[in-house]
Amino acid sequence: MIRRIIQIDEEKCNGCGACAKACHEGAIAMVNGKARLMRDDYCDGLGDCLPACPTGAITFVEREAAAYDEAAVLAAKAAKQQKAPLPCGCPGSAAKALSPRKAPHAAPISQESQLRQWPVQIKLAPVNAPYFKDAKLLIAADCTAYAYGNFHQEFIRDHITLIGCPKLDSTDYSLKLTEILRNNDIKSVTVVRMEVPCCGGIEYAVRNALQASGKFIPWSVVTVSTDGRIVDRV
């Protein structure tokens, strides 16, 4: 059938992943750093992904495409939830014991801090500071540094670091982050969050701040599990 459906220009796509997050049907995924329409029958043609794209890489076209299959979309969502069940109530508050993995015969290694500035709390950070010039910005949920053992070397190193907890802080991070991005020459933004749903607030705030800043800044999201594994990179 001929119907309206999205089209993605890979030349314009900067790999930010905002469209994949905005697509509630799961029709879009990131493949080799580029957004791609994975299934025609998952695209409802309403275009929730269009305003999320900062580069205008997504447009509507009229072409031959499979009809939108709502039942298939719902089934895929249900299957995805079954693969990663979360405890009842607030997953971020669920108590559990962890068993740290140890490399055989490995001696403890003392590592120096890679932190390059102070303060690190988003609420306390100044909007303008010399260290923001040409900075690679790390915006992290504060639990990530405790969960991921190599956090300093892999994430803080060569970055300016801002941290916060979207569940415990009552501040709207997006307002502060918008001003930081708008008033400074930020080269890139890396978001590191936990896998628990409430931690999505920090990713949401960064996405809003990037859009509100009016700048096209490369950004990525890394998700850390509660037992210290990287489970997703977008």
Side-chain angles (χ1 to χ4, degrees):
M1 63 180 295
I2 302 295
R3 70 180 183 93
R4 188 170 76 161
I5 197 167
I6 66 160
Q7 176 173 276
I8 302 173
D9 186 339
E10 289 196 1
E11 293 296 321
K12 291 183 179 180
C13 177
N14 67 358
C16 71
C19 60
K21 295 290 185 182
C23 180
H24 304 298
E25 291 73 29
I28 302 174
M30 303 304 295
V31 179
N32 296 325
K34 296 287 185 177
R36 182 177 298 176
L37 177 61
M38 305 302 292
R39 291 184 54 158
D40 288 359
D41 59 340
Y42 281 17
C43 178
D44 60 8
L46 297 179
D48 287 347
C49 54
L50 268 70
C53 179
T55 64
I58 303 177
T59 55
F60 280 126
V61 295
E62 295 278 345
R63 66 169 175 83
E64 183 73 28
Y68 172 60
D69 190 341
E70 184 177 11
V73 170
L74 294 175
K77 287 182 178 179
K80 186 175 182 180
Q81 290 177 349
Q82 289 177 359
K83 288 181 180 178
L86 291 169
C88 296
C90 174
S93 302
K96 58 182 175 180
L98 304 175
S99 298
R101 298 177 298 277
K102 294 182 179 180
H105 312 299
I109 299 175
S110 177
Q111 294 183 342
E112 293 184 356
S113 171
Q114 297 297 317
L115 192 64
R116 302 176 62 186
Q117 100 289 341
W118 190 266
V120 295
Q121 287 285 345
I122 297 173
K123 294 190 299 182
L124 301 179
V127 171
N128 296 101
Y131 48 72
F132 281 133
K133 181 175 174 56
D134 298 326
K136 292 187 291 183
L137 192 60
L138 170 67
I139 302 174
D142 48 16
C143 291
T144 56
Y146 292 93
Y148 190 68
N150 201 35
F151 195 84
H152 273 250
Q153 292 296 325
E154 188 164 340
F155 295 114
I156 295 181
R157 187 176 184 179
D158 298 326
H159 285 75
I160 295 301
T161 303
L162 297 176
I163 69 170
C165 176
K167 184 173 179 63
L168 299 181
D169 289 344
S170 59
T171 303
D172 183 355
Y173 292 147
S174 61
L175 301 177
K176 181 72 166 287
L177 294 174
T178 296
E179 292 304 307
I180 291 174
L181 296 174
R182 181 180 289 157
N183 295 317
N184 298 280
D185 295 323
I186 304 297
K187 296 304 181 185
S188 66
V189 176
T190 300
V191 180
V192 184
R193 54 162 292 184
M194 298 299 295
E195 64 177 338
V196 295
C198 55
C199 208
I202 200 162
E203 179 182 344
Y204 179 79
V206 172
R207 182 166 63 247
N208 285 348
L210 286 164
Q211 292 176 350
S213 72
K215 295 183 177 181
F216 297 144
I217 302 174
W219 72 298
S220 61
V221 180
V222 179
T223 303
V224 177
S225 68
T226 53
D227 62 351
R229 296 174 293 109
I230 292 178
V231 294
D232 192 26
R233 290 182 186 265
V234 180

